[in-house]
Amino acid sequence: MDEGFGLNWMTVGLPIGVAVALGIYLLINPEPEPPPKNDAAFGCYAANNAPPIRLDNTGMHILQDGIGTIGYHLEVQKTGIVLTAERPIQAQLVGSFYRFSIAERGIGMFLPFFRDGTDTRYGVLEGNNLHSFEMITDESNYLLYRETDSDICEVGTEG
């Protein structure tokens, strides 16, 4: 038997086999779930020593003077669902309270939703469990925002 035949078969057969296997995988593999709609996160969130944040159909409202409305959307990442602020917000410690500002440069901010474990926080993968998210501050601390009563986020409390 000619040894060249085996080499030719491998150079043609192997790519065809890989293409067929990939095609089958794509046909039977389900589409990934789309991210939850923004309304899954609507509500009022509060953190210790920081202004409350309201999420509604008009955007993200950091209830502090001078910030205004920030667009946002929800994304699914490997570690869970994140709240993506569409402006580069930053939190700086001023005295004992965090103040927010908008950075001059940047693409936005990713605020992962979490659920508490015994000693750690875990990412949230279910759209019906969006009750807490975290934000890293300029000092590399975490502000833990948790859903709370809407009274502290009443319309008109924004500056």
Side-chain angles (χ1 to χ4, degrees):
M1 183 175 213
D2 185 12
E3 288 183 28
F5 173 75
L7 182 59
N8 287 336
W9 183 87
M10 288 295 288
T11 59
V12 173
L14 188 60
I16 291 173
V18 169
V20 168
L22 181 62
I24 290 170
Y25 172 77
L26 292 175
L27 284 175
I28 63 172
N29 194 26
E31 287 287 320
E33 284 192 38
K37 294 185 181 348
N38 284 357
D39 62 359
F42 284 1
C44 180
Y45 297 82
N48 292 332
N49 303 322
I53 295 176
R54 185 179 69 244
L55 301 176
D56 62 25
N57 62 339
T58 62
M60 171 189 274
H61 309 275
I62 298 173
L63 303 179
Q64 166 195 302
D65 291 341
I67 295 294
T69 301
I70 299 168
Y72 76 94
H73 61 277
L74 302 178
E75 292 181 17
V76 176
Q77 296 183 352
K78 288 181 183 181
T79 57
I81 299 170
V82 297
L83 169 66
T84 303
E86 296 171 357
R87 296 189 62 198
I89 55 178
Q90 54 190 21
Q92 299 166 323
L93 190 60
V94 177
S96 62
F97 197 77
Y98 283 95
R99 298 282 301 166
F100 285 95
S101 61
I102 305 295
E104 290 182 26
R105 303 170 87 184
I107 59 168
M109 183 71 137
F110 300 105
L111 311 170
F113 282 95
F114 69 90
R115 62 183 172 80
D116 289 316
T118 37
D119 293 328
T120 189
R121 293 184 302 274
Y122 297 97
V124 172
L125 299 169
E126 310 84 27
N128 61 352
N129 197 17
L130 305 178
H131 305 294
S132 304
F133 63 86
E134 62 187 16
M135 177 183 184
I136 194 161
T137 68
D138 288 359
E139 298 81 23
S140 298
N141 295 320
Y142 286 98
L143 289 176
L144 304 179
Y145 273 89
R146 298 177 193 279
E147 196 168 25
T148 187
D149 293 332
S150 60
D151 294 351
I152 65 169
C153 289
E154 288 298 318
V155 177
T157 60
E158 213 176 327

